[in-house]
Amino acid sequence: MTKHFGDDEQREHDPSAQEQRMDSENSVQRNPHPDFGKVQASRPDWDDDLKWRWTKTKDPDWKPGQGGNDGGESLTKEHVEIDPYEEGRPAIFNYKLLISSIVPRPIGFLSTRSKDGEKFSRGVVSPLEKSTLTPTRDLYESFTVQLHASHQSFGFAGGFDNAKDTLRNLVETGECCINMVSEHFAEAANSTSINTPYGISEWAVSGLHPAPCTTVKCSRVKEAVFSVEGKLVETKEFESKVTPGKKTGVLAIIEGTRFWAREDSINEDKNIIDPAILRPVSRFGGITYGRALPGFEIPRPNFDELKKTGDLEGLIKPKVEGQ
């Protein structure tokens, strides 16, 4: 496999890349609170009594063609057009806009192992089907994911020349493990976003426990309810449209080679995870996280059935330009 980075000695002793990443992270100003400890103390305690439960949808009597369930209120609001490449608009503005709007995002760990087998990395990541503008360990280890039957696509912000441990290890070894984050280790997961230099393991910092994988050499997170072993298929590096020559992202396609599900979370057919056990943590903008409570279900509509019942009467029309 082609090696995209400088030699090990240079990247371990030259702090310039680490300093650049921290400068970028500082410019994001992710934490809006001058004294977060004081703000945290003023908030209600964590409610451990909240359990997963089902509710009705907001409008159980919704019919085809009805549109939104807000009585048309959203139609009274106008929109502001934003050109991401507008002259004078900092790229960081686009980053902050996307991480605060494409929400909630489930989060997980992408655990990797260095080529020499001595350095382990586990970066907390936020999956979503969008561009490489999602926060994780820092601005340059951002990651996205799009799930398919057997392959996942990841996007890392920044190029190979400024890659963090996770991307470095992934490219050098071609292996990783994706571990979904749940409520019972949210604080530990967040601790891995610490700005450690290359080669410093986040396992000790987080206090989480590695567990062996079968098809890859890196470890999975024992505390995770669900994990996916994966092998690298290919990568593609992208260049900035605003600053020619500047590398802004790397797309990595991963093939899932093994699934791990906690025994009390999986059904008999081994094809559905119980959300009451998974209790996933989601990511919003800045330093905001969320809990997936409660939930509701909406069956997918069937065209032929709705046509028979007459619910689509007057609504079956050919598409027009712009639709």
Side-chain angles (χ1 to χ4, degrees), residues 21 31 50 56 105 130 157 161 163 182 196-197 241 245 254 259 282 296 323:
R21 285 190 286 268
N31 181 1
L50 287 177
K56 299 176 182 178
R105 302 183 300 276
K130 193 53 187 171
D161 60 343
S182 298
T196 54
K241 291 185 177 180
I254 306 295
F259 300 136
S282 61
F296 57 87
Q323 292 183 337

Side-chain angles (χ1 to χ4, degrees), residues 241-294:
K241 291 185 177 180
V242 177
T243 309
K246 180 181 179 181
K247 306 303 181 181
T248 58
V250 175
L251 176 69
I253 299 177
I254 306 295
E255 178 186 4
T257 56
R258 189 71 91 248
F259 300 136
W260 293 86
R262 209 173 81 179
E263 59 184 1
D264 59 342
S265 72
I266 193 74
N267 65 346
E268 186 175 349
D269 291 333
K270 298 181 180 180
N271 61 7
I272 295 178
I273 295 290
D274 184 351
I277 302 298
L278 181 61
R279 297 194 65 127
V281 174
S282 61
R283 188 71 184 269
F284 290 81
I287 59 173
T288 304
Y289 292 81
R291 306 172 71 180
L293 300 168

Side-chain angles (χ1 to χ4, degrees), residues 37-48:
K38 183 177 180 180
V39 173
Q40 173 94 308
S42 69
R43 294 172 173 170
D45 291 337
W46 176 277
D47 190 348
D48 211 28

Side-chain angles (χ1 to χ4, degrees), residues 104-172:
R105 302 183 300 276
I107 60 174
F109 291 115
L110 191 67
S111 52
T112 58
R113 181 183 184 182
S114 64
K115 188 176 182 179
D116 58 19
E118 296 179 356
K119 304 181 184 70
F120 296 84
S121 174
R122 189 178 65 256
V124 59
V125 291
S126 304
L128 77 161
E129 297 179 6
K130 193 53 187 171
S131 60
T132 55
L133 289 168
T134 313
T136 58
R137 292 193 38 155
D138 53 51
L139 181 59
Y140 290 90
E141 196 181 90
S142 300
F143 139 99
T144 64
V145 60
Q146 186 171 14
L147 300 176
H148 301 279
S150 60
H151 291 76
Q152 301 87 44
S153 59
F154 296 78
F156 296 82
F160 288 122
D161 60 343
N162 198 24
K164 286 289 288 181
D165 296 16
T166 300
L167 179 56
R168 289 179 179 182
N169 293 345
L170 175 62
V171 171
E172 289 183 346

